[in-house]
Amino acid sequence: METDGFVLVKPSRKRRIKSKKCPVLPVNNVDDEWDHPLDLTRVIKQVFTEDSVFCDKISEVISSQDIEQIVCYGIGRLSTCKLAQFQFAVLVNVLQKSPQIQKCLVFDPVLSQSERTFIAQYMEVLPENDMCGRRVMCNTLFYMIHSSKRMYDNVLKSNWDQLKYCTLIGNSFQSYLLHSTTSSLIKQVPHIYTCTEHTKEDELPKFVSHHNVFNNTVIMEFLSSVDTDSVFVNTLPADISEDGLEIQ
């Protein structure tokens, strides 16, 4: 079992949640060495040229919501995953377009030291895994593309009494209502289920560079009518490592 990831998989559980598929890029040594940082630099330039409208939309939200920091969870392997490269490239371009952002924090347990070093040129890499339980005290954009439901739920749980500070870019919560049973959502991700009717979802423009990078991705704002007096307010963030889930 992995011990340094967002989650662990229980040996007793037979069913595994599938991880998101990602085009694999050739590298010589993905664990210790990354020989292709120039590839990602080119991707960043490509996004700047071809997807300025996409990045501008996110920058407009940052401006309108007076967002001061970005927290990025689950960015993926930049050395081996093309989708992760595009998602990171968008984040870099958004930061360049949003000078009001004071801090951008990134964490993914799968990142190698070479990838962390590259990312550190643009933003701060968190040293420890907080299980998506970071509590924020200023207007914050959580950038979590294709994360698992439990990762989103932990973000909500950690900030349940102050969702006014939170904006989230990730999988549509409305799609969970359409494709999951009510009982399973209440049991597994009660915060998502409870706040969905108080969540405003806004579609993103078409991402030109690659059609699979931001599919089912929306910008979510949490309205003031969220029931912050619910039974979830005083609970601690769930320890995802005990839930037998994987990043997907």
Side-chain angles (χ1 to χ4, degrees):
M1 288 193 298
E2 300 289 336
T3 58
D4 60 346
F6 279 122
V7 295
L8 297 180
V9 180
K10 290 183 178 180
S12 60
R13 293 176 67 100
K14 295 181 179 180
R15 185 176 66 86
R16 294 168 61 92
I17 297 177
K18 295 181 180 179
S19 300
K20 63 180 181 180
K21 295 182 179 180
C22 186
V24 177
L25 303 175
V27 292
N28 294 332
N29 187 332
V30 298
D31 293 324
D32 302 315
E33 298 293 338
W34 182 21
D35 297 329
H36 302 274
L38 290 178
D39 291 343
L40 184 46
T41 302
R42 285 192 288 268
V43 171
I44 292 172
K45 293 180 179 179
Q46 178 182 343
V47 168
F48 179 81
T49 302
E50 298 182 0
D51 286 288
S52 59
V53 173
F54 186 92
C55 296
D56 285 343
K57 172 64 176 180
I58 300 177
S59 297
E60 289 170 7
V61 171
I62 288 174
S63 178
S64 65
Q65 297 297 315
D66 295 322
I67 290 172
E68 300 175 37
Q69 71 171 352
I70 298 175
V71 177
C72 172
Y73 287 126
I75 192 64
R77 292 301 307 269
L78 300 184
S79 60
T80 60
C81 179
K82 195 67 175 178
L83 304 189
Q85 289 191 358
F86 278 114
Q87 291 163 10
F88 178 77
V90 166
L91 187 55
V92 170
N93 278 282
V94 166
L95 287 174
Q96 293 175 349
K97 294 173 179 286
S98 308
Q100 69 270 38
I101 296 297
Q102 300 176 9
K103 183 182 296 185
C104 182
L105 307 172
V106 178
F107 184 82
D108 194 317
V110 304
L111 292 172
S112 68
Q113 185 56 52
S114 299
E115 291 165 324
R116 290 169 182 261
T117 300
F118 183 87
I119 292 173
Q121 299 177 64
Y122 300 93
M123 55 204 74
E124 180 181 346
V125 181
L126 291 170
E128 297 181 356
N129 187 356
D130 61 14
M131 301 291 180
C132 302
R134 175 169 291 270
R135 184 172 172 83
V136 299
M137 302 305 294
C138 65
N139 292 340
T140 301
L141 173 66
F142 286 92
Y143 185 82
M144 301 171 63
I145 313 304
H146 299 155
S147 295
S148 72
K149 292 193 290 290
R150 288 308 300 266
M151 291 168 68
Y152 296 130
D153 202 69
N154 265 24
V155 168
L156 298 179
K157 190 174 187 178
S158 304
N159 297 281
W160 192 244
D161 60 340
Q162 52 182 23
L163 288 178
K164 63 182 180 180
Y165 291 136
C166 302
T167 302
L168 194 152
I169 298 182
N171 293 349
S172 166
F173 288 179
Q174 290 294 334
S175 69
Y176 293 149
L177 293 182
L178 293 175
H179 299 102
S180 302
T181 64
T182 298
S183 60
S184 66
L185 290 175
I186 292 175
K187 180 179 179 180
Q188 298 173 9
V189 285
H191 300 84
I192 289 178
Y193 176 78
T194 301
C195 81
T196 298
E197 63 179 294
H198 306 286
T199 302
K200 176 186 174 183
E201 296 192 355
D202 193 5
E203 292 185 357
L204 288 162
K206 180 180 179 181
F207 188 72
V208 177
S209 297
H210 196 296
H211 69 282
N212 283 333
V213 180
F214 293 97
N215 59 308
N216 191 41
T217 302
V218 298
I219 299 175
M220 286 174 277
E221 300 173 25
F222 305 101
L223 308 181
S224 58
S225 57
V226 172
D227 180 13
T228 55
D229 293 326
S230 75
V231 295
F232 305 125
V233 173
N234 296 318
T235 57
L236 295 173
D239 182 357
I240 313 177
S241 67
E242 295 185 359
D243 289 326
L245 302 175
E246 297 178 272
I247 298 175
Q248 57 178 345

